[in-house]
Amino acid sequence: MYIVKRLLTMLVTIWVIASLTFLIMKIIPGDPFASDADVLPEEVLENVRAKYNLDEPIPVQYLMYMRDLATFDLGISIQSETRDVNGIIADGAPASALLGTQALVIALVFGLLLGIIAALNHNKFLDYFSMFIAIIGISIPSFILAPLLIKYFAVDWGLLPVASWGTWEHSILPSLALAATPLAVIARFMRSSMLEVMNQNYIKTADAKGLPVTKLVISHGIRNAILPVVSFIGPLFVFLITGTFVIEKIFAIPGIGRYFVDSIFNRDYPVIMGTTIFFSSILVVTLFLIDLSYRFIDPRIKLTSGGE
């Protein structure tokens, strides 16, 4: 019952996001062909607007868009008239997904590691050192870190390629630039959660009974402390994928971000709405999967129709 309710909620959420995105696009004054008004004859402009249903009343446009969306048809790009939005997303999604997934893995592995090391060495050198790295990661935005990585690792030292795409080596620098901030956030998050768990009475009792430190930390400490971090993974994954927009521009990566940024400047409504709905769907589905994962991480958690 819980799963059915969540699936229905997901559909409603995606519909609301699609409706709001459509409304925002229509609230913006003008249309994508306003800049061509002085170049093209009025008859041509009318034909072009009719092709994209822009000559219809807004309620009619909305119903037609919802009809197409129900069949997973995101429309035709205005700037690339020979390509549909589905094809654009299909072409750019693999690169963006690879980049976002690699950044997520880097952020999780090293963020959790730093957080655990800091918590187990509270108020010691390793704690201060780990949090110092975390502060650097939070303080330096990815669009500043990216040029620094290019300068040293690609230009000065020649260790890695840059401004191209093809092999796994091309994804290392952009993944590092993208993972820095979430890595720092996860490290601080895990440190706080781990400190709280390790100070619980059941941990102290298990320690007093002589439970090995390794088992105490892994089976009781990390397993309980990681739950708050797991709830953060869903939005983090979507943040990393959408965060590739700037990184893809800097590293010339053929991902969705390039099309999305260009569509904003060109007022390409179908691409803007299509990519927004695509990323929103990823977020909704990821949050659903995260909720299901709680049951496997901690068997004491029960999923009910009330979402508890």
Side-chain angles (χ1 to χ4, degrees):
M1 183 64 183
Y2 169 78
I3 294 179
V4 174
K5 182 179 179 180
R6 282 299 305 270
L7 290 175
L8 292 175
T9 303
M10 289 165 57
L11 292 176
V12 173
T13 302
I14 294 174
W15 169 73
V16 171
I17 292 173
S19 300
L20 290 176
T21 305
F22 178 88
L23 180 61
I24 292 173
M25 292 296 100
K26 298 306 175 182
I27 290 176
I28 299 175
D31 62 53
F33 307 104
S35 59
D36 299 326
D38 298 332
V39 180
L40 299 177
E42 184 62 30
E43 295 79 7
V44 176
L45 288 176
E46 290 179 359
N47 291 334
V48 174
R49 290 191 177 100
K51 177 181 178 181
Y52 294 97
N53 302 317
L54 297 178
D55 59 334
E56 299 287 351
I58 292 181
V60 176
Q61 293 183 41
Y62 173 77
L63 293 176
M64 296 175 70
Y65 185 75
M66 288 295 113
R67 179 200 63 192
D68 294 337
L69 185 61
T71 59
F72 302 99
D73 182 4
L74 298 177
I76 305 295
S77 170
I78 293 176
Q79 295 300 317
S80 303
E81 297 182 3
T82 58
R83 303 190 63 188
D84 58 12
V85 180
N86 297 65
I88 291 175
I89 293 177
D91 290 342
S96 296
L98 174 62
L99 189 57
T101 302
Q102 285 189 176
L104 178 63
V105 172
I106 293 173
L108 281 176
V109 172
F110 292 99
L112 293 175
L113 184 62
L114 283 177
I116 293 170
I117 291 174
L120 296 180
N121 296 274
H122 185 48
N123 289 333
K124 297 180 181 178
F125 171 75
L126 289 178
D127 183 15
Y128 298 138
F129 179 73
S130 299
M131 289 302 97
F132 173 73
I133 295 177
I135 291 174
I136 293 178
I138 294 175
S139 303
I140 304 178
S142 60
F143 60 85
I144 293 179
L145 181 60
L148 292 177
L149 293 176
I150 292 174
K151 178 182 182 337
Y152 291 107
F153 286 91
V155 178
D156 293 349
W157 301 335
L159 298 177
L160 293 168
V162 69
S164 55
W165 189 258
T167 66
W168 67 272
E169 295 176 332
H170 294 93
S171 64
I172 295 178
L173 290 183
S175 296
L176 290 176
L178 193 61
T181 298
L183 185 154
V185 173
I186 290 175
R188 294 178 65 86
F189 210 155
M190 188 63 185
R191 175 182 179 273
S192 299
S193 181
M194 192 73 178
L195 285 174
E196 182 180 353
V197 169
M198 295 304 291
N199 286 322
Q200 296 294 319
N201 290 331
Y202 70 88
I203 294 291
K204 296 178 180 179
T205 302
D207 186 33
K209 290 182 177 180
L211 191 69
V213 177
T214 303
K215 186 175 182 179
L216 179 67
V217 172
I218 296 177
S219 300
H220 298 283
I222 296 178
R223 186 170 185 177
N224 291 289
I226 203 173
L227 281 174
V229 179
V230 171
S231 64
F232 180 62
I233 292 178
L236 174 62
F237 180 64
V238 178
F239 164 77
L240 289 175
I241 294 182
T242 56
T244 62
F245 291 172
V246 176
I247 297 299
E248 286 176 12
K249 275 291 185 180
I250 295 176
F251 287 92
I253 297 174
I256 299 179
R258 179 183 63 181
Y259 298 110
F260 183 77
V261 173
D262 292 340
S263 67
I264 293 177
F265 288 106
N266 297 324
R267 303 187 62 161
D268 195 338
Y269 294 163
V271 176
I272 295 174
M273 292 188 291
T275 51
T276 301
I277 294 171
F278 175 72
F279 285 122
S280 300
S281 301
I282 292 178
L283 174 60
V284 171
V285 173
T286 304
L287 291 177
F288 173 65
L289 295 177
I290 292 298
D291 286 346
L292 293 181
S293 70
Y294 288 151
R295 182 68 178 83
F296 297 97
I297 295 175
D298 191 344
R300 295 173 300 174
I301 298 178
K302 303 295 183 180
L303 299 177
T304 66
S305 59
E308 299 178 356

